[in-house]
Every structure is written in structure tokens, then in C-alpha cells.
Amino acid sequence: AQTVTQSQPEMSVQEAETVTLSCTYDTSENNYYLFWYKQPPSRQMILVIRQEAYKQQNATENRFSVNFQKAAKSFSLKISDSQLGDTAMYFCAFTHHNNAGNMLTFGGGTRLMVKP
Amino acid sequence: DAGVIQSPRHEVTEMGQEVTLRCKPISGHNSLFWYRQTMMRGLELLIYFNNNVPIDDSGMPEDRFSAKMPNASFSTLKIQPSEPRDSAVYFCASSSSWDEQFFGPGTRLTVL
């Protein structure tokens, strides 16, 4: 069974600074996807960034980037130039494809507060 | 595409009543997922369907919960009878294989 662990229940950062959210996972699969989802106070789950396990290059989406360490099974999210709108819950998630769909396993989430 | 559509957005009911939550996935997606989110337990997968067939319902709490997907464009999650501990936000999500899940806006259920 796969597990996803987010060891930081809450974090805060000053506006315009950089913050890194941690995520580790456990799996015996070799081919899989990793995701970071954002859930603002509106409750909507929004995909922030994805990483394919077979790709060595770390994914980047504007101010969001990941540090994917496959051997260490680590998948951290870095938010640069933090903005007030980044305040949200952030969930790390893992999936691998089986014959019957791509079930996601979520971590427990990290609540990020961006302070003005 | 309008994204994943859920209804109602809010539901308040009394203990013992039947509750039905509805979901319309994104057209062309072949997987559909029902999640429950609470402060205590976080985000839990209840059940998921692939090509309208239930694949894994091990997350369904008990027999009071049931889910159906009669066709590719509609699914329901039913709770009968409802209890106060069922109060939560219920999300529906859909995806095509090997891709991200797209979430609906959620239904906030309150059972009094």
C-alpha cells in the first residue's frame, strides 16, 4: 500500500519570501505521478503542479517548483515570492496507474499562512 | 467544459433523513471518485468508479452509504439514514487514466 506523509501541519511565511513544504511517500511502484493540490478557503481543490516519476527534471510552474528526490521518496514544494493568495491548505498526492484507474493517495495536508 | 458539477452545494438535514449527493463528471473522463473531508480525518476516498463500474468501495464507512453510477455522466452518493457524524464536505472528482483528478466544488453536508 502507498502512503503519503506531510510532516508540517502548519506553516507561515512573510509575503514575498520563499517557503518549502515537505512531502514523503512510500511505494514499491517504479512508475507513478506525484501532485501538489491547493485548497483555499473556498474549498475548491486546485492542481498546483505535477511530476512524473520517470522524469529526472524537477517540474516548475511559475512561482511553484518541486524538489523530487526519487531515491529518497521525497517530493517538496517550493513557493517563491509568496503572495497573500497562496494562503491555503496544500496536499501532496500520489498515484500509479493500474488496470482500473488512477486512485490518488493524499497526505494529511499543510496549512500555509502568508502574512502581509 | 464546465468542470465537475456537484449538487447541492449545501445540504442541511435532520438525523435519520435520506441524503442524496449528485455529481456530473467532466465529459470524456472515465474515472470518478467520491471523497469526504473532515477536520478530524482529513480527505478520505470513499469509492471510485472506472467506466461506470465500482472498483474500490473499501472507504465507504458503513452500509448506510451507497453510491451509483448509472451512466458516464452521472453519479450519486446516498446516505440513509443520515447521522450527525456524517457532517462533512463531500467532493466528487473525475479523471482520465494517468492524469490529474479534477475536483468539483464540494457539497457541505450538515446533519442536525
Side-chain angles (χ1 to χ4, degrees), chain B residues 63-78:
Chain B
D63 292 345
R64 299 184 297 105
F65 286 68
S66 62
K68 295 181 180 180
M69 191 165 186
N71 57 61
S73 59
F74 184 65
S75 177
T76 60
L77 178 67
K78 185 177 293 186

Side-chain angles (χ1 to χ4, degrees), chain B residues 6 20 24 35 49 62 67 72 74-75 77-78 90 95 102:
Chain B
Q6 290 187 247
T20 299
K24 176 179 168 56
Y35 293 90
F49 296 83
E62 48 198 272
F74 184 65
S75 177
L77 178 67
K78 185 177 293 186
Y90 291 81
S95 76
F102 292 81

Side-chain angles (χ1 to χ4, degrees), chain B residues 5-18:
Chain B
I5 299 172
Q6 290 187 247
S7 65
R9 295 291 306 276
H10 302 273
E11 177 80 27
V12 180
T13 190
E14 293 188 345
M15 182 175 63
Q17 296 298 305
E18 177 179 296

Side-chain angles (χ1 to χ4, degrees), chain A residues 33 37 39 50 97 102, chain B residues 37 95 98-101 103:
Chain A
Y33 278 65
Y37 279 87
Q39 188 179 37
R50 55 142 56 87
H97 182 67
N102 58 328
Chain B
Q37 187 178 33
S95 76
W98 267 126
D99 206 343
E100 69 179 277
Q101 290 183 17
F103 283 75

